[in-house]
Each structure stands twice: as C-alpha cells, then as structure tokens.
Amino acid sequence: MRFQDVISINDFRKEDIDYVLRVAERLEEELKKEGTLKYAKGKVLATLFFEPSTRTRLSFESAMHRLGGAVIGFAEASTTSVKKGESLMDTIRTVENYADVIVIRHPREGAARLAAEVARVPVINAGDGANQHPTQTLLDLYTIKKEFGKIDGLDIALLGDLKYGRTVHSLAKALSYYNVRLYFVAPKGLEMPRHIVEEISNKVEIVETSDLEAVIPKVDVLYVTRIQKERFPDPAEYNKIKGSYKVDLKVLEKAKDTLKVMHPLPRVDEIAYEVDNTKYSAYFRQVWSGIPVRMALLGIVLGVIE
Amino acid sequence: MKELKVSAINKGTVIDHIPAGRGLKVLEILNLFGDNTILVAMNVRSGKLGRKDIIKVEGKILNEEEVNKIALIAPSATVNIIENWEVVEKRKVEIPDEIIGIIECANPNCITHYEEVTPKFKVLSKKPLKLKCHYCERTMEEDIVLKHLL
C-alpha cells in the first residue's frame, strides 16, 4: 500500500487508482454475498464536516458501518469547539484520540492536507473548498468501469460548469491516465481552465466545444455538472446560461444506445426527470458506487484490507 | 563613485548584485538581525544592473540553503564567501525545489491564512517561475509570487 491518507487525486498514480477500484469491486461482491462485513470491527471513523454535505457524509458513514466499524462526528462546525475559536489543528489533535481514521470536509482549500500532517491517524479528504474531492473522482471512475467493464477506449464528455467544478477538474486529470478521448463541453465563460487542459493534453486527446448536439452521437459517457448559480455575480448572466444545456430525451435521440449519463448530483434542471428511467441514466448507480469505493479507501488506510 | 570592494571584511558572506531597493527585504528573509554585524550598501552604481544593493555579513558563512532563499527576490545576486579578507568561493543563487516561508499563498481561501502554519510551495518551473501551494494546490506565476512576499 502506497498511501496512508487520501488527500488529492494528484497524489495517486494509475496503479493506485486501479488498486482501489479492484478492492472496491471485491468488496462489492463480498457485500452482496455476506451483507455487512467485519474488516473494520472495533475501528472508529470520525466524520468532521465543517460544512454541510449530506450525501458524502452519509456515504462515508454507510461505508464504515458496512465494514463493521463505528462512526462518530459532526455535520456542521457551529455545534463544535470551532465556534469557540478552536483551530483546525487542535480539533484534529483532539479527535485523533477518539478515532482510527478521520474524514474531513472543510470550506478552506488545503485543510485536509494540513489535517493529514497533524494527525497520527489516516485522514481522508471529503472536499476542501474548491480544491479536491478525490473520493468523488474514484467513485466516478468506478462507475465508468462498472458500466462498461473498462475505462480505456471510451469517449467521455464532461458537460456544464467546467471552470469552477472541482469534480470535473479531478476527473479530467484522473481520466488522463487512461486511453480515452475527452470532450469538454461548456458554455462560453465556463470552459475548462487552461492549466488543466495544458497539463493533460499531452496524455489524452481533448476536444473543446460548446456544441452538445455535435458531441452526443460520439460519446460513451456524458458526465453532466450543475451550472452553479452562486458563481455568477450577475443573475441575468446565469439565467442566460442556465438553459443552454438540458439533457432530455430529445437531446438523447442522437445518442449511442449504450450511452451512460452521469452526474455527481445534486442536479437542478440540467437533466430532465424523464431521463431517470431510461437505459441512459447511470447517476443513481453512481451514488451507490460511493459505498464500495469508500469502503475500499477506509479499509486500505486503516490497514485492514490488502 | 568607485565600486565597493566585496572583500572588505575579514570573514563572512557578501551578497552582491541585489536589485536596488531589495537589500532590506533580503536581510529580512535571511533573518540576519541578531548578533551579526551587517553592512548594507544601497543604490550602488553597477555596470551589470545600473544600481544594486550589497550586503556584507561579518563573521557568518551563509550556507547554500540560506542563500537560495533570496533567489525569488534577487535572482541576479551573487554570493561571495570571504576568509582572511579574500573571496574563497563565489556562488550564484538558485531557486530551490521547495520554497518554505518567504511568500504567502495568493489564494485567499487557502488554509495557510487561517491556521498557524508555514506556507510551503513546490517549484513547478524556475523559468518562468511557477509555484504550487503544498496545501491548496493553487499555482502562482512570477508576477503574483512577487506580490506575496512575506
């Protein structure tokens, strides 16, 4: 095992990612056969959520319970000593006495890295500001692998707010380890940042466009993201852009039969509800992927799963 | 004006060819205030730079790591190690692979602005200068770096 903490997808080599995905697959099989597992029996996970995130927190808690471990933690900082002015470092030094592994979500970028440096127990980053959300990236990759049996050889489109979305930044970087063709489909002003395009363009073929209709027939995966209203200083600008991409049955008419639509959720109006029950929709299975992937990560950093 | 001779100390370090006006910043970064006798010459005429600052630190031989700290603000600097009034070694400063302290992260939401932690950067490129914050992973180009010297 190479990693003791899970802080940034940039710390992962391709072999590490493949290893996590393999372990997740194995655990999913075991879960199906045996129900709750016992790998983390006697171990305690602390979930320190300094800002709210129901989905990620519940997913980690569910994963730990399914590994047979216990969970403590908080869902918002206002109920903790942080309210009294306690530093993050002191919170971590305290909590490490109560838990064998810490999962942290924090509004400041770099908080997870700092927590990992301070803590004697492993730390997993569940989102640090606009920086990283590595477990989301791993579960996205796991979903693609489950849907297609592979990642290599696929044409994958990332659609929506590619400028601010940390999910798509990390995913694009991780996908660049594989033999894929990437389509970055974004409205003007929300394109993928140049530094990311430059960083990965020598590894994978990239097509940048704003024309979703032209891309739809070519791709195997359509990864949709929400255009985040809160990023726009002018609401009129948001209103102009928000309707620009709506994935509905009409848009999907030209899609490959095997196309899978993914979304990190929550969605607002970028995927029509009519898509939910079609063969295209993979986004709720994607939510499930969080369980085996987070079980794998917890098990690996705890040293209870090889 | 005749250029000052760098060997005018018995033993110590002379940092020459500092861009004019940055001498005091160099002293601050190297944290040399204390027992050392320090001579600072500012705005000295220089064939190479037009004007330059010079720092002479008496009695202290600065090591490579210490001197390289100033590479960001004084890349043109040369370092002369003096023993027995003679220059025994001449070095150019070089940007290290990692920058610790010296500059703060340009990202206002970086955790380093909120906790008692020393900012740390990985040098992605020395020319043009590009740094990556160890904590928030944000990259900074040269013009931004110089605005964020501590």
Side-chain angles (χ1 to χ4, degrees):
Chain A
M1 188 189 77
R2 196 181 80 96
F3 49 91
Q4 289 179 317
D5 304 293
V6 180
I7 304 303
S8 167
I9 203 70
N10 296 324
D11 300 335
F12 279 69
R13 302 170 304 183
K14 183 174 187 287
E15 305 90 273
D16 301 321
I17 294 174
D18 288 338
Y19 169 58
V20 173
L21 302 188
R22 272 199 314 275
V23 173
E25 220 159 359
R26 198 181 88 209
L27 289 174
E28 187 170 0
E29 285 305 311
E30 288 181 35
L31 262 184
K32 273 184 202 154
K33 277 188 214 147
E34 298 169 38
T36 300
L37 308 178
K38 292 178 182 159
Y39 288 106
K41 194 160 183 272
K43 302 284 184 188
V44 177
L45 160 69
T47 55
L48 311 187
F49 277 63
F50 291 85
E51 63 174 16
S53 162
T54 320
R55 196 182 332 274
T56 305
R57 184 171 56 84
L58 292 181
S59 176
F60 267 110
E61 292 186 2
S62 175
M64 189 59 173
H65 285 302
R66 287 167 200 261
L67 274 180
V71 181
I72 58 170
F74 55 83
E76 53 175 315
S78 63
T79 59
T80 71
S81 292
V82 172
K83 185 88 175 166
K84 301 174 191 163
E86 184 177 56
S87 69
L88 170 65
M89 292 196 280
D90 279 2
T91 305
I92 297 296
R93 286 185 188 116
T94 304
V95 172
E96 68 180 1
N97 294 286
Y98 308 144
D100 301 290
V101 55
I102 292 173
V103 169
I104 181 172
R105 156 76 60 108
H106 200 282
R108 308 277 180 221
E109 284 119 47
R113 178 82 65 197
L114 179 61
E117 284 181 354
V118 172
R120 284 171 298 158
V121 299
V123 171
I124 299 177
N125 185 5
D128 58 332
N131 183 33
Q132 282 279 330
H133 193 2
T135 64
Q136 176 71 45
T137 302
L138 291 164
L139 79 85
D140 290 340
L141 295 173
Y142 184 73
T143 308
I144 295 171
K145 198 176 168 205
K146 288 280 288 182
E147 296 292 326
F148 294 92
K150 61 176 186 176
I151 297 174
D152 286 317
L154 297 176
D155 284 38
I156 298 169
L158 308 183
L159 169 74
D161 176 3
L162 305 188
K163 182 176 180 183
Y164 297 111
R166 66 181 170 200
T167 313
V168 279
H169 298 169
S170 305
L171 183 58
K173 280 187 198 175
L175 282 169
S176 73
Y177 286 141
Y178 296 88
N179 176 25
V180 293
R181 186 182 291 125
L182 296 178
Y183 294 82
F184 295 157
V185 189
K188 200 169 177 315
L190 293 181
E191 294 94 347
M192 186 66 87
R194 295 323 303 162
H195 69 94
I196 294 180
V197 176
E198 282 163 20
E199 190 182 325
I200 64 175
S201 59
N202 58 347
K203 297 182 197 158
V204 282
E205 190 183 334
I206 295 169
V207 179
E208 289 186 273
T209 177
S210 58
D211 189 352
L212 174 61
E213 277 190 36
V215 166
I216 278 281
K218 299 176 184 166
V219 295
D220 302 294
V221 175
L222 179 62
Y223 191 98
V224 187
T225 62
R226 181 169 64 95
I227 293 179
Q228 300 166 89
K229 192 177 182 175
E230 60 274 21
R231 305 287 192 192
F232 288 80
D234 179 2
E237 277 301 302
Y238 168 74
N239 286 331
K240 232 190 283 173
I241 286 180
K242 77 167 182 179
S244 52
Y245 299 113
K246 177 149 188 159
V247 178
D248 54 20
L249 292 182
K250 190 167 181 308
V251 167
L252 293 173
E253 267 173 13
K254 292 180 192 158
K256 287 183 187 176
D257 260 9
T258 50
L259 170 81
K260 296 298 172 207
V261 179
M262 293 172 61
H263 192 302
L265 302 178
R267 71 171 146 179
V268 183
D269 57 4
E270 56 279 357
I271 301 177
Y273 288 106
E274 64 191 17
V275 179
D276 293 3
N277 294 319
T278 66
K279 60 192 171 194
Y280 302 115
S281 129
Y283 32 92
F284 291 116
R285 289 195 294 278
Q286 191 180 349
V287 176
W288 160 254
S289 296
I291 301 296
V293 166
R294 290 180 171 126
M295 286 173 75
L297 292 168
L298 286 166
I300 291 166
V301 297
L302 279 168
V304 295
I305 291 174
E306 281 296 318
Chain B
M1 191 180 111
K2 194 172 177 244
E3 195 163 327
L4 297 169
K5 278 199 175 298
V6 293
S7 56
I9 54 174
N10 176 15
K11 184 180 178 177
T13 308
V14 174
I15 307 170
D16 199 1
H17 300 109
I18 300 166
R22 295 192 185 167
L24 294 178
K25 191 79 200 170
V26 168
L27 277 181
E28 199 183 314
I29 288 172
L30 292 177
N31 198 19
L32 289 173
F33 304 107
D35 295 338
N36 306 303
T37 299
I38 298 160
L39 306 164
V40 182
M42 298 186 76
N43 240 10
V44 177
R45 194 170 292 157
S46 156
K48 203 164 107 185
L49 297 175
R51 296 278 171 182
K52 66 178 179 179
D53 291 353
I54 304 172
I55 294 172
K56 303 182 185 189
V57 187
E58 192 128 35
K60 184 172 168 71
I61 307 290
L62 293 170
N63 65 33
E64 206 174 317
E65 195 184 331
E66 284 173 309
V67 168
N68 283 343
K69 281 186 182 177
I70 65 170
L72 293 181
I73 58 158
S76 54
T78 51
V79 176
N80 302 281
I81 308 298
I82 313 293
E83 274 175 27
N84 295 324
W85 310 97
E86 294 292 328
V87 176
V88 291
E89 191 186 339
K90 264 182 181 288
R91 288 204 301 252
K92 279 200 158 280
V93 298
E94 200 188 321
I95 294 172
D97 296 332
E98 201 175 40
I99 311 277
I100 299 170
I102 312 172
I103 51 169
E104 62 172 3
C105 183
N107 173 9
N109 202 35
C110 179
I111 193 71
T112 52
H113 298 297
Y114 300 87
E115 297 275 326
E116 286 286 325
V117 58
T118 308
K120 202 154 74 172
F121 300 85
K122 189 178 172 195
V123 178
L124 298 180
S125 154
K126 292 183 182 178
K127 211 168 180 180
L129 185 65
K130 198 171 179 185
L131 309 182
K132 182 178 181 180
C133 175
H134 168 73
Y135 292 97
C136 76
E137 304 190 13
R138 196 72 67 89
T139 53
M140 294 161 73
E141 314 270 340
E142 187 158 352
D143 53 332
I144 306 288
V145 170
L146 294 177
K147 283 183 194 153
H148 288 84
L149 288 166
L150 282 171

